[in-house]
Amino acid sequence: MILESFQVGGGQRPTVLLHGFLGTGRNLRSLATAWSEVDKGRRFLLPDLTGHGTSPRLPPGATLSTVAADVLETARAAGLHGPLELVGHSLGGRVSLAASLRSPADVASVTLLDISPSPISPHLSGSGKVLELLRAAPASSPDRKTMRAELMGRGLSGPLADWLVMNLEPAPEGGVRWRFDRESLAEFHGRVNGEDLWAALTLPGAKVRCIRGGQAHYVTDTDLARMEALGCPVATLPDTGHFVHVDAPDALLRWLTSDA
């Protein structure tokens, strides 16, 4: 399945940036632009993952491997050649690991942005809490402002509500509606959070690195120790949360380019 995507940079080093749950490729545009200015040898592809943005919806029973296959197919259709460097935030990182397990020859390296190969415990999943509030919201609204107020009235912060209403589109009958299928995403979220991806770190020649937000809980100290024991270095940005590319873009870019 070919996903909606766009590219940044005109180099030959194929690098795919994968967003997190409920996001779109646009979430990582600033990172791609800044990185491209520092490293002009790279060519970045930023897809909307399956079921997100303007990409096709998730098929029934979709797994991380399903989405990974779509990412790989999209990269080849977009003209990216050779083994790909995959950089993924949260869900995007887990899709990257799944891609390396599905087709090791197609993946040169994986960079994880505040995510580990471990199954995600429901009580640690911030996206799960957001999803429940999103599912309780109306299917449509007269306009974005009204939906934003609805989301904030249910307890979401202003910035988070602003991020979510980026997923609204004009409705045929007027007003706006959600672009994605909330129930399909909820089913997918519940299923794939339980997937264990540690096997990706034991593949022959695996090249995986990770950076975590010191204020987040997705990469535990136990995860860190196990990852480093398997040859995956883990850096920590002490004062950042889960969205490392938003909270500390300059520090993240320095780290990304330190091992270019």
Side-chain angles (χ1 to χ4, degrees):
M1 186 184 297
I2 304 298
L3 306 175
E4 182 69 23
S5 66
F6 64 92
Q7 297 187 34
V8 173
Q12 296 301 311
R13 191 170 175 180
T15 308
V16 183
L17 302 187
L18 301 178
H19 63 81
F21 189 67
L22 299 179
T24 69
R26 291 178 296 168
N27 298 150
L28 298 172
R29 182 191 292 273
S30 294
L31 174 60
T33 300
W35 196 349
S36 180
E37 291 173 354
V38 173
D39 185 352
K40 299 189 182 301
R42 290 183 182 271
R43 179 180 176 189
F44 294 93
L45 179 73
L46 292 86
D48 292 350
L49 293 174
T50 319
H52 293 72
T54 55
S55 282
R57 293 190 172 189
L58 288 159
T63 64
L64 291 174
S65 185
T66 307
V67 179
D70 293 341
V71 168
L72 295 175
E73 183 179 355
T74 300
R76 298 314 182 200
L80 272 62
H81 304 294
L84 307 168
E85 297 186 37
L86 304 181
V87 180
H89 173 246
S90 199
L91 171 63
R94 291 173 61 76
V95 170
S96 298
L97 292 173
S100 71
L101 287 168
R102 183 182 182 95
S103 186
D106 285 314
V107 179
S109 67
V110 171
T111 297
L112 303 172
L113 306 183
D114 202 57
I115 202 67
S116 86
S118 293
I120 300 174
S121 171
H123 76 273
L124 287 180
S125 176
S127 56
K129 299 179 180 67
V130 172
L131 183 59
E132 288 308 308
L133 291 171
L134 185 61
R135 292 171 73 189
S140 61
S141 179
D143 51 48
R144 290 173 183 268
K145 184 178 179 181
T146 303
M147 185 66 83
R148 181 182 186 274
E150 174 73 29
L151 294 173
M152 291 183 65
R154 294 177 182 273
L156 292 183
S157 68
L160 188 51
D162 288 337
W163 177 61
L164 286 173
V165 298
M166 291 172 64
N167 289 292
L168 292 170
E169 65 179 4
E173 64 276 12
V176 294
R177 65 181 183 185
W178 295 108
R179 179 180 291 119
F180 46 48
D181 182 336
R182 292 174 292 172
E183 294 307 313
S184 174
L185 283 170
E187 179 190 359
F188 175 74
H189 184 267
R191 182 169 54 252
V192 303
N193 272 9
E195 292 191 37
D196 183 314
L197 299 162
W198 282 98
L201 272 65
T202 64
L203 291 169
K207 186 178 180 183
V208 184
R209 60 176 175 164
C210 174
I211 190 165
R212 65 174 182 167
Q215 302 302 310
H217 307 285
Y218 283 89
V219 183
T220 66
D221 289 342
T222 300
D223 287 330
L224 184 152
R226 184 177 176 186
M227 292 166 81
E228 293 198 329
L230 290 171
C232 170
V234 181
T236 302
L237 295 174
D239 300 320
T240 67
H242 183 50
F243 293 87
V244 290
H245 54 292
V246 175
D247 294 346
D250 294 339
L252 174 62
L253 184 60
R254 285 193 298 271
W255 178 79
L256 287 168
T257 56
S258 67
D259 186 30

